Amino acid sequence: MTPFAILILYVAFRLKQFTCDFLLQNDWMALNKGKPGREGYKALFTHTAVHGLGTTLILLALAPQFWWLGPVDFALHALVDRLKGVFTYKRGWTYTDRWFWWSFGMDQEAHNFTHLAYILLIIAASGGVQL
């Protein structure tokens, strides 16, 4: 894989994260995905399905043999978001609390590292970096 192809893959994942977590995530998803019960899981499923679809589309376009990382991303994104959501919900943290923002930042970094793992897997399976 060329450095340029790696950069394109990285930028695609960063744009997907921004689009799915900020532009396409509505208030219902954001405010309910950490709640207990059916409503919480419904919001979480909807939000993470968007992420899984985004990852699948990126990979179909740039590394089709790795399409299966889309469902993996759905599951990993759900796990990270659920943990952060439940933690925040149980403590009653809101955007006015410092700990809310710390947990938000950790959530975003967990997603960043997940995407990095996907990229490293793709590079390794593609024979490494070709300069």
Side-chain angles (χ1 to χ4, degrees):
M1 225 178 168
T2 67
F4 183 70
I6 295 167
L7 178 63
I8 294 299
L9 198 54
Y10 174 76
V11 169
F13 277 119
R14 297 308 314 131
L15 288 172
K16 189 270 303 186
Q17 181 65 25
F18 175 73
T19 300
C20 295
D21 253 20
F22 297 98
L23 302 180
L24 298 177
Q25 181 173 210
N26 61 31
D27 290 346
W28 171 74
M29 292 178 209
L31 297 173
N32 290 295
K33 63 187 177 185
K35 289 184 179 178
R38 176 179 238 156
E39 187 70 12
Y41 283 108
K42 196 168 158 186
L44 180 70
F45 175 83
T46 305
H47 171 63
T48 56
V50 172
H51 272 281
L53 178 61
T55 295
T56 300
L57 292 174
I58 288 168
L59 294 170
L60 286 174
L62 301 175
Q65 65 274 31
F66 294 98
W67 66 267
W68 53 270
L69 284 172
V72 170
D73 194 48
F74 165 78
L76 290 176
H77 201 98
L79 176 65
V80 170
D81 275 21
R82 184 67 180 170
L83 288 172
K84 194 255 314 177
V86 167
F87 200 71
T88 301
Y89 180 77
K90 283 187 175 184
R91 284 162 178 70
W93 295 337
T94 67
Y95 67 91
T96 60
D97 298 302
R98 174 175 52 121
W99 294 108
F100 171 88
W101 292 107
W102 280 42
S103 67
F104 179 80
M106 287 187 286
D107 166 87
Q108 290 300 304
E109 286 309 306
H111 299 313
N112 292 339
F113 281 116
T114 302
H115 294 141
L116 177 60
Y118 299 160
I119 292 168
L120 292 174
L121 175 68
I122 293 166
I123 292 169
S126 301
V129 179
Q130 301 159 357
L131 299 175

